Amino acid sequence: MASNRSGNGSVPLTPLRGWRVADLSSGIAGGYCTKLLADGGAEVVKLEAPQGDSLRCWTASGTALAPGADGALFAFLAGSKHSVVADPSSDLALVEKVLGESQAVVWTPGSPLAEHPHLSPKEIRRRHPHLVVTTITPFGLDGPWAGRAATEFTLQAWSGGIIGLGRGAPDEPPVHVGGRIGEWFAGAYASAATLTARWRTLGTRAGELCDVSMLETQILGLTYYPVSFYEGLGRAFRTQRRLSVPGVAGAADGMVAVGCGTAQQWFDLCAMVGHPEWIDEGLEAGITETANRKAPEIAEWMAAHPVAVISDLATAFRIPSGPIAHGANAFDLDQHADRGSFTTNPRDGFRQPGPPYRTTPPLLRAPEPAPRLGEHTAHYRSAPPPATANGRASSAREPDPLPFRGLRVLDLTTFWAGPSCTHYLAMLGADVVHVESAQRPDGTRLVAGVPMSEDLWWEQSPIFTGLNTNKRGLTLDFRSDQGREVLRRLVARSDVIVENYTPRVLEQFGLDYDEVRALRADAIMVRMPGFGLTGPWRDNPAFAYVIEDTSGLTWLTGHRDRNPVEPYSIGDPNAGVHALNALLLALEHRRTTGAGVLVEAAMVEAALNVAAEQVIEHSAYGALLERDGNRGPVAAPQNLYRASGADEFGRKDCWIALAVETDDQWDKLVTALGNPEWARVPGLATAAGRRREHDLIDTRLAAWCARHDSDAIIRILWDAGVPVAKVMQPHRQPELPQLEARHFFEPVSHPVLPTARHSTLPVHFSHGPGTFHRSPAPLLGQHNTEILAALGISPDDIATLIDDGTVGGTPEVLKANKP
């Protein structure tokens, strides 16, 4: 397919051309948000104080930069942008000029310009009501925790993401997901929110406030609908930590990950390692228990074989597997090299990921150099106002609370990544038809642990209900000629088709993009393969953890003196939000040209982008970033400390997350602790000194925390202005008053399950909607007759389709085929 990185000299017709975005952000989240917009063709004007964005002097490895040089991460995130310098004490007129001539602004707290009282989001909205204003803050702009001190690390604790899906060894502290993943994920969500507000306000006189909460994005990215699960089934999804088996293992020549997400994969693993007799043991004693008991033997087998041999065998057995990627080897892995997943920074020459999605026709501009500090100041000071950006009209039409109303989406997705993309559209008004079959229902229907002996067991998955509200459901077996004909009719009436099967599935049924275009020339087809539509890994099974393994996300999670730990979460929702960004760009292209688009949103390339800092640091400075338990590259101290008391399960497993990012926060911490003598050592007054003495600080803080319960610690430290958090069990998220105040959870009734609270979107849009969940997730085939009749199929023909099993049915067949 056509690539946005082909180097053929053609200039893409970028969807956001002529759209100016003022960038009042600092840090990764704002930088990545505006990078995605710049990739789509927006004119991003980075407004900086004279000292410049703090990322200009940042390296995660601590590599010293030459005077005036920019850090490589900044050069990656600021590519294709412009830089305008304005002194907040004397040159606000220039900032006002840029804002007045822009159509959007992205704002985060922390920079000297953003902290100026005249440049708060409220003031910007008051003086420039035409702007789409996107803010990215730890907790959101409103609610009792708004403005509180927080870091990406403490937000992981509050969200439940540090415990997540039971990550880590049970006899050790929980371990956070490394790489500041929450900042990258929040940036991707903020970009999608900005594009949504643009879509909503085009043709109106209105702007919009998009208030993105990083806490809420982390809930969606690092936990798996735990509240819906707990309230729907009366039990928590997972409350104890465990190491995946086999998970990440040492091979004869490196590290490899092998996953067993299903019973069939465990059976195949037993055969692969030469122990088919374990299959019967697993059926009798339980697969998880058997796998843990056999872990030493599995590890011994892995250690005796090279990575390539293990990967080839796993592929042959259809077991998810992949090598562990990191900054030094990611661009050499077969799939990434074959697809050209990395490119060269156009200014500084280091290696960096290419865009996280590809399109036909090409819609993204090739990377352009990052600006030097103030490079474009004179131009914007003297330039006349630009022509009206495309689509901005003076109509008095009011923005629609449901901006995707009327958009018809054919949802051929399963599990987490694909449904999370289409769910966003459904919550904002799109008519989404989710297609399953009785023979192969959506995989999330099968993860609830409900026995197949129970009536309607397939309707009792709160994971499925959490991902699919507001959608309509159709059961269709398109392996038959009749089923494929119904599928073609659905395609012909759909604006958007989204699928996340392995590439061969739709292709073997003849439904590639050429066929879609023949059925509907202006259709947008979004394909979400794990590894891409080309390359040696294209047909490999790709669960979230394999995507994390092969992109570098796993490498930075865990402890340095042992194998890394799979995040087991972010790979799926990260793919979903990046596919959403690409889809929104494609909609804009169709709006202005009338033409359809093929989007290839490979899960692994989205993950490579949010793991970009590893390859960038190694390529630019020769530094291999390493995992470091619960410490991180920014704050010192940063760690988890056990508090006194027991958790709700009676275990002494209460933890406090603490992160000190600034010298001022350290002073506040010391004061809150009562000015102990050990903390007043002069060397601890600086971040470098605290990093050198991190072990000593950890010992002292651990002793202090052990004498207090978690509520007392929060009261003492947070009220003093220190970033601190409880490590929450994920199903207890609704207890946070901030989430209650922002109505992040909404109760949703269901025909089979009890009413349960469901998460919404991690952004407040000033134009609404007030309520996101309007109908529960569909029962299997609930809307069959309704959908088929709308396609013009007669009642007699519908009855025939039902009688021959093309439409309808129940997963009882799975029970009959159960091993």
Side-chain angles (χ1 to χ4, degrees):
M1 72 182 285
S3 169
N4 300 116
R5 331 165 189 163
S6 61
N8 59 13
S10 61
V11 178
L13 191 63
T14 55
L16 303 182
R17 64 195 181 281
W19 199 51
R20 182 178 291 179
V21 178
D23 184 356
L24 272 172
S25 74
S26 60
I28 289 173
Y32 190 54
C33 169
T34 49
K35 178 193 183 297
L36 293 175
L37 299 176
D39 287 348
E43 178 187 333
V44 177
V45 184
K46 188 162 185 58
L47 292 162
E48 302 182 75
Q51 61 268 46
D53 188 330
S54 59
L55 276 183
R56 286 187 180 270
C57 57
W58 166 258
T59 63
S61 60
T63 301
L65 299 174
D70 293 328
L73 181 62
F74 176 85
F76 170 66
L77 291 174
S80 308
K81 300 177 186 178
H82 295 169
S83 172
V84 170
V85 166
D87 190 323
S89 65
S90 61
D91 208 5
L92 285 183
L94 176 57
V95 178
E96 286 293 302
K97 182 176 187 292
V98 173
L99 292 174
E101 296 170 359
S102 298
Q103 287 75 49
V105 60
V106 175
W107 183 98
T108 67
S111 72
L113 280 174
E115 295 296 335
H116 193 283
H118 288 293
L119 295 176
S120 68
K122 180 179 179 181
E123 280 297 302
I124 292 173
R125 285 279 291 156
R126 184 181 66 81
R127 292 196 307 280
H128 303 285
H130 71 286
L131 282 173
V132 169
V133 179
T134 298
T135 64
I136 312 170
T137 61
F139 299 112
L141 294 177
D142 57 5
W145 289 3
R148 289 270 197 170
T151 70
E152 193 267 349
F153 178 70
T154 61
L155 291 174
Q156 281 200 31
W158 282 125
S159 72
I162 281 185
I163 290 180
L165 297 177
R167 184 187 321 106
D171 56 344
E172 295 181 349
V175 63
H176 83 303
V177 180
R180 294 192 282 174
I181 187 61
E183 296 188 36
W184 293 91
F185 188 62
Y189 238 112
S191 174
T194 306
L195 293 173
T196 300
R198 169 189 164 85
W199 181 266
R200 189 206 309 265
T201 59
L202 283 171
T204 77
R205 296 173 179 169
E208 179 155 31
L209 175 63
C210 308
D211 172 13
V212 177
S213 160
M214 291 181 65
L215 170 64
E216 294 165 15
T217 61
Q218 293 207 18
I219 287 173
L220 293 183
L222 298 178
T223 70
Y224 199 29
Y225 300 88
V227 174
S228 303
F229 194 97
Y230 183 76
E231 297 187 356
L233 294 177
R235 54 185 169 87
F237 184 80
R238 189 171 294 156
T239 61
Q240 291 185 314
R241 295 183 291 285
R242 69 180 190 185
L243 293 174
S244 301
V245 177
V248 179
D253 59 349
M255 285 188 186
V256 66
V258 178
C260 287
T262 67
Q264 186 61 54
Q265 288 163 5
W266 165 249
F267 303 154
D268 292 337
L269 176 71
C270 294
M272 186 178 89
V273 301
H275 287 282
E277 72 276 9
W278 291 352
I279 294 175
D280 290 337
E281 290 185 46
L283 291 175
E284 294 175 6
I287 290 172
T288 299
E289 180 181 338
T290 304
N292 280 283
R293 193 170 63 249
K294 304 299 184 183
E297 294 171 79
I298 296 172
E300 183 179 358
W301 185 92
M302 295 284 180
H305 295 80
V307 170
V309 170
I310 296 171
S311 295
D312 288 347
L313 281 171
T315 298
F317 277 95
R318 301 294 297 163
I319 300 171
S321 172
I324 300 298
H326 50 64
N329 72 358
F331 44 76
D332 290 328
L333 297 183
D334 291 350
Q335 182 71 8
H336 307 333
D338 185 89
R339 284 175 57 81
S341 297
F342 291 91
T343 187
T344 300
N345 183 270
R347 194 187 77 182
D348 296 338
F350 56 80
R351 303 289 288 275
Q352 64 183 36
Y357 29 77
R358 309 179 185 203
T359 66
T360 300
L363 300 183
L364 307 181
R365 64 177 167 198
E368 298 173 13
R372 298 298 182 188
L373 181 61
E375 181 178 341
H376 304 92
T377 303
H379 167 75
Y380 284 92
R381 193 183 297 279
S382 60
T388 301
N390 62 338
R392 176 66 66 189
S394 58
S395 166
R397 178 179 66 83
E398 289 297 314
D400 193 334
L402 298 176
F404 301 119
R405 194 192 306 266
L407 187 72
R408 292 177 294 190
V409 179
L410 180 58
D411 182 355
L412 305 174
T413 70
T414 186
F415 286 106
W416 192 357
S420 69
C421 171
T422 55
H423 195 208
Y424 181 98
L425 302 174
M427 284 196 280
L428 291 174
D431 176 15
V432 178
V433 174
H434 185 58
V435 178
E436 309 170 75
S437 72
Q439 297 76 18
R440 294 186 66 86
D442 188 321
T444 56
R445 289 188 182 273
L446 313 179
V447 298
V450 176
M452 289 185 176
S453 58
E454 289 196 17
D455 291 339
L456 298 176
W457 58 268
W458 59 87
E459 302 293 0
Q460 297 185 54
S461 170
I463 307 297
F464 179 83
T465 67
L467 276 163
N468 292 286
T469 62
N470 301 346
K471 299 180 183 180
R472 296 191 290 160
L474 171 69
T475 45
L476 176 66
D477 184 356
F478 46 79
R479 294 175 298 179
S480 67
D481 290 341
Q482 298 91 330
R484 287 194 292 275
E485 176 56 30
V486 173
L487 184 62
R488 284 191 286 268
R489 289 200 191 192
L490 284 166
V491 169
R493 74 178 298 275
S494 298
D495 300 294
V496 176
I497 301 96
V498 184
E499 66 91 13
N500 71 332
Y501 306 132
T502 53
R504 59 186 173 82
V505 173
L506 285 189
E507 292 168 5
Q508 70 185 7
F509 297 133
L511 195 66
D512 58 13
Y513 182 54
D514 287 339
E515 174 67 10
V516 167
R517 281 198 301 176
L519 294 168
R520 178 160 181 165
D522 68 344
I524 293 168
M525 186 176 193
V526 180
R527 304 195 65 181
M528 299 176 61
F531 296 107
L533 299 177
T534 60
W537 299 357
R538 73 163 236 145
D539 290 321
N540 288 8
F543 290 81
Y545 48 87
V546 179
I547 296 303
E548 295 159 357
D549 299 331
T550 55
S551 63
L553 293 175
T554 295
W555 176 259
L556 286 185
T557 302
H559 299 279
R560 190 171 300 201
D561 59 349
R562 65 202 79 171
N563 288 346
V565 177
E566 293 162 321
Y568 229 83
S569 55
I570 190 66
D572 274 323
N574 182 65
V577 75
H578 280 86
L580 175 64
N581 272 276
L583 192 161
L584 294 173
L585 292 176
L587 282 173
E588 179 59 22
H589 177 77
R590 189 177 77 163
R591 186 188 69 81
T592 56
T593 68
V597 179
L598 170 62
V599 171
E600 180 188 0
M603 293 175 68
V604 77
E605 289 177 348
L608 287 171
N609 269 262
V610 299
E613 193 166 21
Q614 294 184 60
V615 166
I616 289 171
E617 283 272 337
H618 189 269
S619 178
Y621 310 121
L624 179 63
L625 300 184
E626 300 274 7
R627 57 196 168 278
D628 199 13
N630 285 309
R631 296 179 182 178
V634 179
Q638 174 181 297
N639 218 326
L640 298 185
Y641 306 96
R642 194 192 300 268
S644 68
D647 66 11
E648 63 186 287
F649 307 105
R651 304 175 305 213
K652 292 186 176 181
D653 201 33
C654 298
W655 298 91
I656 290 293
L658 188 149
V660 172
E661 288 194 334
T662 67
D663 295 344
D664 178 62
Q665 289 173 356
W666 173 252
D667 288 340
K668 291 175 178 176
L669 172 62
V670 172
T671 300
L673 296 176
N675 294 296
E677 184 176 350
W678 67 266
R680 286 300 180 187
V681 175
L684 301 185
T686 67
R690 293 191 294 275
R691 195 167 296 282
R692 285 192 302 269
E693 300 295 336
H694 210 306
D695 290 345
L696 167 66
I697 296 172
D698 279 348
T699 299
R700 300 292 191 175
L701 289 177
W704 184 84
C705 288
R707 298 194 298 270
H708 300 81
D709 66 35
S710 56
D711 289 332
I713 294 170
I714 296 299
R715 185 173 62 253
I716 294 168
L717 299 187
W718 210 12
D719 288 349
V722 180
V724 66
K726 291 183 189 180
V727 175
M728 300 288 291
Q729 283 286 346
H731 65 277
R732 298 181 64 182
Q733 292 161 355
E735 296 176 15
L736 303 185
Q738 180 67 9
L739 297 176
E740 181 179 5
R742 286 174 60 87
H743 306 291
F744 179 68
F745 292 103
E746 294 176 356
V748 178
S749 61
H750 188 271
V752 177
L753 290 168
T755 295
R757 284 174 286 191
H758 286 46
S759 53
T760 56
L761 294 182
V763 52
H764 279 189
F765 293 104
S766 58
H767 290 301
T771 300
F772 286 99
H773 299 291
R774 299 177 300 283
S775 62
L779 302 178
L780 190 67
Q782 178 179 341
H783 303 96
N784 286 349
T785 300
E786 172 187 317
I787 292 168
L788 295 176
L791 295 176
I793 300 175
S794 70
D796 288 345
D797 287 341
I798 292 174
T800 300
L801 291 170
I802 293 173
D803 288 342
D804 65 20
T806 300
V807 170
T810 67
E812 294 291 339
V813 65
L814 295 179
K815 191 184 298 185
N817 293 336
K818 185 181 178 184

